[in-house]
Amino acid sequence: MDSAPSPKYILVAVPLYMYRIQTSKFDSGLNFFEKTVFRFMARPDVSSQEIAESLGLDEKLVLVVQGQLQSRGLVNSLGYTEKGRLLAKNMDSIIVDPTKTQIGYIFQNVDDGELYPYYISSSELGQEPNVDKNGNLIIGTKGDGEDRILRRLDLDFVLNKQRIQPTPDEEEILDLIGNSVRRSRSDDRSESDSNWRNERLAVRPLNNAHPELVCACTYLYLPQSSEDSTVYEPDWQIMDPFGHGDSPYLKFYIEGLSDSSFKSLLEKKFGDAKTLMQKKVQEYQYYKELEIKNALDKDFVFGHQDLPWTIKHDLLSAVESYYDCVQYQFNNENYNKLLIINVQNTLESVLLKDRKDRQELFDVKLGRENEYGEKFDYRKEKTNNREILRDLFSRKVINVAEFRRMYSLLNIDYTRPNSLRQYLYCLLLSADYEPRATMFEIFKGEVDAVLDIADLRNSGGGHGHATIADIKEVSKEQAETSYRTMKRIINEYISKY
């Protein structure tokens, strides 16, 4: 394990379920820079100097990339190899060798079944750490034969909520592989998903339905200020256990468990560190809580205190995320993405509350079977649904600039909604039965704005609550606009309910 990233750290052990997965051997393909050099090398006579001059790059860097392309069997002195020619026909595809197999790993939360958002290769997993009989990490010797150890903190409060979880299916595994492909390419686009998903990866779990309970050891720490090493950021971070920098996903997960003893431990460990505004971390957290309370009272003047608990909880998280974004002037990508997640969760909670309040309508009129137990003809239903949406659009009942934005909704399985896009689709369809429903009145003027928020996901919906890996890069304008949309909807919701 690498050295601690900050003087203020704790080595923690996060319990997870681990599944071993066998697939055909695959390569994540090319990133943007590799693609650019690769295209030049379609000409056998092109020189590295010519490529460097055309791209305005150092020739040594081009030579390095050319060597990488050659080592992967994509190019040679004659131009593209057969493997390279296949890749050139579909630059967004992954590279699959069906004659070979490889082993990778999928990890899952032990309490709620949420999957760690990336597929982990054997090389990323690395070697098992050297630990003593108490599970502490051995980092060397003191010179007299005695081990130097790093004590770890087991997050037992997670194990206290351990449950048997459903085994990931092939579609979920492909989603995780897709996240890893995008990460390796530094590419957050979703257009290429359909290309690599068509590749024959022959996914097969190796430990059947019985995962192995493991502990992922990593550092939880306070980042030091880039300007003054004696000053720390007020919020802790946690490193990805598999070597990919910080893990917003794990931070979001651990914070969401809201364990009071763990919070007390962090206050004791980090509370005296100097942070923003020359305050200690503990002082700053109290100050931040007061600022967030003031922001809630200012932005939601009609009375947020009386909101249902789930909506209130998600709204508080969204306001806190917006506060963090403002403090970092929207320059922290993870805070921007976390804001979008919490905005989405808040809007989903509002729509889910309406679904529960009108359960009979959603279960019967929009369910898998009608009141006589007859299954729907989905092709017929899709045609009917298109007409419902088109009617709402043509009569200008809903605020959508172009009807083609609605096309993405028509392919969604609305009978089992679990994403913002799906919940919105159900609400729009419900207007065919209850056109004056209060929730429809609230959302009908915000359809374009809500779709903008949903579009910030890498994939089109249907995968449950978003994680950091699901969210595209978020600009300051997108973050502020999303928050304003949520603010309008919540204030309208409070005033009508």
Side-chain angles (χ1 to χ4, degrees):
M1 178 174 282
D2 296 332
S3 58
S6 162
K8 297 287 186 181
Y9 72 89
I10 306 171
L11 179 66
V12 296
V14 185
L16 296 167
Y17 287 135
M18 182 179 77
Y19 298 86
R20 295 174 69 239
I21 306 295
Q22 178 180 288
T23 65
S24 298
K25 187 173 179 60
F26 69 90
D27 188 307
S28 61
L30 306 179
N31 60 35
F32 175 79
F33 183 51
E34 290 169 330
K35 286 179 187 177
T36 305
V37 175
F38 180 70
R39 288 189 177 100
F40 274 94
M41 296 187 70
R43 286 172 41 206
D45 59 340
V46 69
S47 68
S48 56
Q49 181 180 357
E50 184 179 349
I51 297 174
E53 290 175 353
S54 298
L55 298 177
L57 298 171
D58 189 307
E59 185 180 358
K60 291 180 181 178
L61 186 57
V62 173
L63 284 169
V64 169
V65 176
Q66 285 180 312
Q68 292 172 341
L69 294 173
Q70 289 174 352
S71 67
R72 293 167 72 172
L74 299 174
V75 298
N76 56 29
S77 59
L78 301 177
Y80 289 165
T81 62
E82 181 61 30
K83 187 177 179 181
R85 282 191 289 273
L86 288 173
L87 179 63
K89 293 178 181 178
N90 188 352
M91 294 289 280
D92 285 326
S93 177
I94 61 175
I95 304 168
V96 178
D97 183 349
T99 66
K100 298 179 181 178
T101 60
Q102 68 181 41
I103 303 299
Y105 301 87
I106 299 296
F107 293 87
Q108 183 182 47
N109 296 346
V110 299
D111 63 321
D112 62 9
E114 186 81 21
L115 295 174
Y116 182 78
Y118 298 102
Y119 164 91
I120 302 300
S121 67
S122 294
S123 60
E124 290 174 299
L125 191 66
Q127 295 181 338
E128 193 170 330
N130 189 16
V131 296
D132 65 12
K133 62 182 180 180
N134 297 316
N136 297 311
L137 188 67
I138 298 174
I139 58 176
T141 61
K142 296 180 179 179
D144 56 1
E146 185 180 350
D147 291 332
R148 291 173 52 229
I149 63 171
L150 191 57
R151 298 188 184 280
R152 76 182 197 188
L153 173 68
D154 292 325
L155 302 188
D156 291 332
F157 60 90
V158 180
L159 277 179
N160 292 338
K161 300 180 179 181
Q162 181 181 356
R163 301 286 185 275
I164 296 174
Q165 302 298 342
T167 304
D169 61 31
E170 183 174 358
E171 285 299 307
E172 290 174 315
I173 294 170
L174 286 174
D175 283 338
L176 304 185
I177 291 175
N179 290 340
S180 298
V181 167
R182 283 193 295 269
R183 178 168 65 177
S184 67
R185 295 174 176 176
S186 300
D187 178 10
D188 66 359
R189 297 173 302 159
S190 61
E191 304 91 88
S192 62
D193 284 2
S194 60
N195 294 322
W196 62 259
R197 289 177 80 92
N198 289 334
E199 300 288 351
R200 300 184 64 181
L201 286 176
V203 173
R204 184 166 71 91
L206 292 181
N207 43 341
N208 299 319
H210 304 290
E212 181 180 352
L213 180 63
V214 299
C215 283
C217 290
T218 188
Y219 290 110
L220 185 152
Y221 71 101
L222 280 186
Q224 290 174 285
S225 168
S226 57
E227 298 175 357
D228 184 349
S229 62
T230 66
V231 175
Y232 294 85
E233 302 290 345
D235 289 325
W236 59 267
Q237 301 295 331
I238 187 168
M239 296 187 72
D240 181 273
F242 311 107
H244 294 282
D246 290 340
S247 175
Y249 169 81
L250 277 182
K251 176 176 169 59
F252 192 44
Y253 168 58
I254 293 171
E255 282 186 327
L257 294 170
S258 301
D259 184 78
S260 57
S261 61
F262 181 67
K263 288 181 178 179
S264 298
L265 186 147
L266 292 183
E267 288 179 3
K268 182 178 180 181
K269 184 73 175 179
F270 299 148
D272 62 346
K274 186 169 70 174
T275 185
L276 303 179
M277 304 177 185
Q278 297 300 307
K279 298 178 183 293
K280 291 183 178 180
V281 168
Q282 195 167 18
E283 295 171 340
Y284 179 82
Q285 293 300 339
Y286 291 142
Y287 169 81
K288 177 180 174 181
E289 288 176 10
L290 181 61
E291 289 291 292
I292 290 169
K293 181 181 182 302
N294 292 337
L296 274 167
D297 294 338
K298 176 184 175 183
D299 289 348
F300 306 96
V301 294
F302 294 109
H304 57 85
Q305 299 90 346
D306 297 328
L307 285 168
W309 184 87
T310 304
I311 300 174
K312 188 191 301 185
H313 175 270
D314 289 334
L315 179 62
L316 176 62
S317 297
V319 173
E320 182 176 355
S321 293
Y322 186 73
Y323 177 85
D324 290 332
C325 289
V326 171
Q327 295 306 303
Y328 287 89
Q329 300 179 319
F330 296 91
N331 291 322
N332 186 304
E333 181 181 342
N334 287 332
Y335 281 138
N336 292 357
K337 290 183 175 183
L338 196 56
L339 171 63
I340 299 303
I341 288 174
N342 286 321
V343 165
Q344 287 187 1
N345 288 349
T346 303
L347 297 179
E348 287 178 14
S349 291
V350 171
L351 291 168
L352 182 59
K353 175 68 167 58
D354 175 61
R355 186 180 179 87
K356 290 179 178 178
D357 290 345
R358 297 192 290 159
Q359 186 171 355
E360 183 177 354
L361 181 145
F362 285 100
D363 285 353
V364 176
K365 300 295 186 183
L366 300 178
R368 290 186 176 275
E369 299 178 348
N370 62 22
E371 58 266 44
Y372 305 109
E374 299 168 338
K375 293 186 180 297
F376 285 124
D377 181 334
Y378 279 98
R379 286 173 296 184
K380 182 179 178 181
E381 283 300 305
K382 185 174 179 180
T383 301
N384 293 342
N385 294 345
R386 182 184 289 109
E387 293 307 311
I388 292 172
L389 296 181
R390 188 174 293 282
D391 179 63
L392 293 172
F393 175 77
S394 61
R395 291 191 292 115
K396 298 184 178 179
V397 175
I398 56 177
N399 181 28
V400 182
E402 297 178 320
F403 184 72
R404 66 180 182 180
R405 289 208 75 182
M406 313 298 285
Y407 290 155
S408 63
L409 299 179
L410 294 171
N411 294 320
I412 291 176
D413 180 2
Y414 59 86
T415 60
R416 290 182 178 176
N418 63 350
S419 74
L420 178 58
R421 192 184 300 275
Q422 288 176 313
Y423 287 128
L424 178 64
Y425 186 28
C426 285
L427 179 66
L428 297 180
L429 294 180
S430 74
D432 193 47
Y433 303 97
E434 296 182 359
R436 296 185 180 179
T438 302
M439 192 61 66
F440 180 70
E441 289 294 320
I442 293 172
F443 275 84
K444 68 181 184 181
E446 301 285 359
V447 175
D448 248 344
V450 173
L451 286 174
D452 285 340
I453 296 171
D455 285 345
L456 289 173
R457 296 190 67 163
N458 282 319
S459 50
H463 304 305
H465 284 310
T467 67
I468 290 288
D470 295 321
I471 304 298
K472 299 180 181 180
E473 185 174 339
V474 179
S475 68
K476 176 184 177 183
E477 181 181 2
Q478 288 171 321
E480 291 182 318
T481 300
S482 298
Y483 183 78
R484 285 196 298 269
T485 297
M486 181 200 71
K487 185 172 148 183
R488 288 194 306 271
I489 291 173
I490 293 299
N491 277 319
E492 187 73 6
Y493 177 84
I494 292 172
S495 69
K496 290 185 181 298
Y497 283 87

